[in-house]
Amino acid sequence: MKGTVIHAPYDVRFEERDTPRIEEPTDAILRIVATCVCGSDLWTYRGLNPIERPIPMGHEYVGVVEEVGPAVERIRPGQFVIGSFFATDGTCPLCQAGYPSSCVNRRSIPGAQAPYVRIPWADGTLVPTPGVPDRELIPSLLTLSDVMGTGWFAADAAEVRPGKTAVVVGDGAVGLCAVIAAKQMGASRIIVMSRHEKRQALAKEFGATDIVEERGEEGAKRVLEMTDGLGAESVLECVGTQESMSQAIQCTRPGGHMSFVGVPHGVSLDGRTLFYKQIHLHGGPAPVRKYLPHLIQLVWEKKIQPGKVFDLELPLDQVAEGYRAMHERRAIKALLWPET
């Protein structure tokens, strides 16, 4: 088969790869129905993650089960399924405690921007949908594999509750999905930090009540002005840069909760600032598998439509254009169809 491989910064190719097969008794093979480019893929695309050899790309996926290993009990061929960006066993103490993304047997997904993918730990990783979805539901279901699940974790970790003010730092797909989550959790005010008109409009459609275009200290100052000089009870950091992390900390009121779900690059925290801020910090790789059953139901009942973050759809063999468009900020998120 052909799949997506990155060879060097800005060098993404759709080229011949081995067709995946069952390697361990707990594996499943999926036929990919839809996949996409993630904002975190851009760190590698831009050369901020080392590329020491050609790397198969892609960790977001929905698909139909083609084959399962002899030890797989819950998942059956023919099911339409969604899985997390990490394969997890579902049985270790950390999975049972609600942190499957830190599973002691965690595995990376080996290249889902392809027509087929092998999923390790199929029983612990994959969740079937109630039936085979209509095509219109597939984009929203696809977001659950990462960005919507990550946005939900951002809101959950920041203790968004009814009547609270939530600040979302970041207007990428994760930040926009975090707005959906904050709305679902009952925040009465949702402030989104964004400079991009198209993303601002989508944030408002998802439930944002206010937009702040300033960044850094000016952005934090504006949020403080909007919250009686105190800061917000819940702040959701969805980028992963030093500026976004510092801005999020400054926007959080003493005693408030701040989540951080953007993959950090070049981020350091000042202990003295944190000491006097007196805020709760909670973040890391989102435990997407924990949230999948609930999020699938919300999408299935059309209570949320996170698939609107996809503003570019391409055949899978045009994946390189998807990377370029997201890198150049011509697209929020690129959806890839193996079959058009």
Side-chain angles (χ1 to χ4, degrees):
M1 70 173 189
K2 287 189 174 182
T4 305
V5 179
I6 189 166
H7 287 257
Y10 309 106
D11 183 7
V12 170
R13 307 177 195 175
F14 191 67
E15 63 184 19
E16 287 295 332
R17 283 176 41 198
D18 291 337
T19 301
R21 58 181 178 80
I22 299 292
E23 297 180 12
E24 299 179 21
T26 52
D27 287 351
I29 302 299
L30 300 191
R31 174 176 58 83
I32 295 295
V33 173
T35 183
C36 54
V37 181
C38 184
S40 64
D41 292 334
L42 298 182
W43 294 111
T44 303
Y45 183 71
R46 293 165 175 159
L48 296 171
N49 292 331
I51 305 172
E52 298 174 353
R53 55 176 175 74
I55 303 171
M57 296 295 287
H59 56 262
E60 298 166 281
Y61 55 94
V62 295
V64 175
V65 179
E66 292 280 300
E67 182 183 1
V68 298
V72 177
E73 298 178 351
R74 273 194 331 104
I75 301 300
R76 305 186 308 275
Q79 289 178 316
F80 190 97
V81 295
I82 305 169
S84 169
F85 52 83
F86 282 136
T88 55
D89 64 23
T91 60
C92 82
L94 297 176
C95 286
Q96 293 298 301
Y99 287 88
S101 47
S102 289
C103 174
V104 297
N105 290 308
R106 182 180 74 183
R107 307 272 190 90
S108 296
I109 299 299
Q113 291 167 3
Y116 295 89
V117 66
R118 180 178 69 90
I119 304 296
W121 298 118
D123 277 338
T125 303
L126 300 174
V127 180
T129 57
V132 177
D134 294 335
R135 186 180 175 92
E136 65 173 321
L137 280 186
I138 289 173
S140 286
L141 291 170
L142 176 58
T143 67
L144 308 188
S145 187
D146 186 347
V147 291
M148 185 64 233
T150 298
W152 196 271
F153 177 53
D156 192 16
E159 296 281 340
V160 175
R161 297 293 182 266
K164 286 190 175 182
T165 294
V167 173
V168 178
V169 180
D171 62 1
V174 170
L176 292 168
C177 287
V179 174
I180 296 175
K183 179 70 172 178
Q184 286 289 310
M185 294 180 189
S188 59
R189 191 176 195 186
I190 303 172
I191 303 168
V192 175
M193 321 292 286
S194 173
R195 289 180 171 177
H196 302 273
E197 185 175 345
K198 183 178 179 181
R199 299 176 188 222
Q200 291 172 1
L202 190 53
K204 288 180 178 178
E205 182 179 346
F206 284 163
T209 57
D210 302 271
I211 302 293
V212 170
E213 295 193 356
E214 296 88 346
R215 289 187 179 174
E217 291 187 5
E218 286 302 310
K221 181 180 177 182
R222 179 73 185 115
V223 169
L224 291 174
E225 290 171 353
M226 299 167 71
T227 54
D228 299 322
L230 299 175
E233 295 101 329
S234 299
V235 177
L236 294 60
E237 191 283 317
C238 302
V239 183
T241 65
Q242 182 67 59
E243 181 183 57
S244 62
M245 185 70 79
S246 298
Q247 181 172 301
I249 290 170
Q250 292 176 63
C251 289
T252 310
R253 70 167 56 188
H257 292 76
M258 180 191 138
S259 62
F260 52 102
V261 299
V263 180
H265 284 76
V267 174
S268 61
L269 301 179
D270 177 65
R272 189 175 182 85
T273 298
L274 292 178
F275 181 81
Y276 285 105
K277 254 302 202 174
Q278 294 182 293
I279 62 177
H280 302 77
L281 292 175
H282 187 189
V288 167
R289 175 60 182 83
K290 171 183 175 181
Y291 301 121
L292 274 176
H294 179 57
L295 294 177
I296 288 172
Q297 200 62 36
L298 288 177
V299 168
W300 206 261
E301 295 173 358
K302 299 183 179 180
K303 293 180 178 178
I304 61 173
Q305 294 181 284
K308 290 183 177 182
V309 299
F310 292 112
D311 55 348
L312 177 64
E313 298 188 18
L314 296 166
L316 180 57
D317 61 5
Q318 294 181 29
V319 59
E321 169 57 17
Y323 276 82
R324 284 192 296 270
M326 288 178 62
H327 166 64
E328 296 167 4
R329 294 182 74 82
R330 290 185 282 114
I332 299 170
K333 193 166 178 66
L335 187 152
L336 305 167
W337 298 102
E339 299 176 1
T340 56

